[in-house]
Amino acid sequence: MSVIKAENISFVYSPGTAFEKKALDNVSFEIEEGEFVGIIGHTGSGKSTLVQLLNGLLRPSAGKIYLDGKDIWEKPKKIRNVRFRVGMVFQYPEYQLFEETVYKDISFGPGNMGLDEEETDKRVRKAAEFTGLKEELLEVSPFDLSGGEKRRAAIAGVIAMDPDVLILDEPTAGLDPLGREALLSQIADYHKVRKNTVMLVSHSMEDIAAIADRILVMAKGKKYMLDSTANVFAKGDELEKLGLKVPQVTKIMMMLRKKGINVDPAVLTVDQGFNEILNCLSAR
Ligand code: ADP
């Protein structure tokens, strides 16, 4: 059974007003337990709206969302439980740090869930470790952390709730290339160990190329495709038409193919591209 199922969901902001805006239009998909799914799409394609619907922050204007087969809005008063199970890291989450110490900030979520001190402590330390936050930083003020460390602390706060589904909305936005890479590999490592479902929103295909099992491509509020990462990358031309920047290595493969050189276009990393070209040369 799928862990998350979206069935014909639509979402309209400010319905019935002059500002009415249909952000999602009849979107359906299923996500299996343990999958790592990337969500890509141009700005305004509906990614943020979609993920806020998945954890019950927004309620669909039409359609249903199921968590483990149960309609999440069946009992609206219980929606808090959905938010505990589907953990959400917002864009620029570091702006939500507000406690005196990093420790207190990370323990805020588990505390809210009613966990005792011992369990909370375990979770805080584990979450800090998962996100690569050094133990000694737990006792400092979050405002004394660097930008990258603040981001990690905020992510650790959601991981500490141990969600079955972890959703991250543009977790690498604003980080430098090294910081981006480090954070992504930490998220990938977390997923490998915890084996939960992770959904990562990004406008960069490059970010998710090496880590996602499948990619959901959004365009103008609709599901454009949901397929394996390799199959999505193989459609680089279409993605470019949607205004998505395909990684340079994928672009090189696309150009080689146009020149009649029979390389596999579904290349995700520079290493794979290198091997693909080598194979092609030795086959000649
Ligand atoms: P993305 O995350 O892909 O950039 P969003 O889900 O933020 O897309 O936005 C989808 C559409 O909904 C866009 O046209 C956007 O302008 C609109 N939108 C987003 N938030 C609001 C809001 N609070 N009120 C009205 N329209 C909104």
Side-chain angles (χ1 to χ4, degrees), residues 13 21 23 42-49:
Y13 284 105
K21 169 84 205 168
H42 199 264
T43 306
S45 60
K47 306 183 294 298
S48 288
T49 306

Side-chain angles (χ1 to χ4, degrees), residues 90-104:
F90 291 95
Q91 286 181 30
Y92 294 96
E94 56 275 23
Y95 293 132
Q96 288 159 35
L97 297 171
F98 61 94
E99 294 278 3
E100 285 155 54
T101 65
V102 172
Y103 185 97
K104 283 189 183 166

Side-chain angles (χ1 to χ4, degrees), residues 6-179:
E7 194 176 76
N8 306 110
I9 50 170
S10 295
F11 187 80
V12 182
Y13 284 105
S14 317
T17 72
F19 302 102
E20 181 168 312
K21 169 84 205 168
K22 190 163 208 177
L24 284 180
D25 186 8
N26 202 18
V27 175
S28 300
F29 57 81
E30 290 188 42
I31 306 294
E32 300 302 320
E33 198 182 331
E35 267 195 293
F36 196 125
V37 178
I39 304 178
I40 57 167
H42 199 264
T43 306
S45 60
K47 306 183 294 298
S48 288
T49 306
L50 175 65
V51 291
Q52 289 179 68
L53 283 162
L54 296 183
N55 95 328
L57 269 177
L58 297 175
R59 190 172 178 164
S61 312
K64 290 217 162 95
I65 293 156
Y66 299 90
L67 181 62
D68 288 334
K70 275 182 99 173
D71 176 1
I72 65 169
W73 286 100
E74 192 182 292
K75 293 186 184 133
K77 284 189 185 141
K78 295 261 161 103
I79 201 68
R80 236 165 83 95
N81 295 338
V82 171
R83 292 181 197 147
F84 292 147
R85 292 202 45 216
V86 182
M88 172 91 180
V89 178
F90 291 95
Q91 286 181 30
Y92 294 96
E94 56 275 23
Y95 293 132
Q96 288 159 35
L97 297 171
F98 61 94
E99 294 278 3
E100 285 155 54
T101 65
V102 172
Y103 185 97
K104 283 189 183 166
D105 247 313
I106 302 178
S107 60
F108 184 78
N112 250 346
M113 293 170 80
L115 299 175
D116 64 32
E117 244 174 69
E118 199 185 331
E119 178 64 20
T120 299
D121 186 67
K122 247 197 257 164
R123 290 196 180 195
V124 170
R125 291 178 195 284
K126 205 158 173 200
E129 195 186 323
F130 268 135
T131 52
L133 210 59
K134 291 192 195 87
E135 181 123 30
E136 60 261 31
L137 292 180
L138 290 175
E139 293 313 322
V140 308
S141 158
F143 302 103
D144 291 331
L145 300 180
S146 73
E149 286 163 351
K150 276 188 195 148
R151 180 78 49 97
R152 284 160 195 277
I155 296 174
V158 178
I159 286 182
M161 291 167 41
D162 198 24
D164 295 322
V165 180
L166 175 68
I167 301 181
L168 305 116
D169 193 354
E170 300 269 7
T172 61
L175 299 181
D176 59 40
L178 272 181

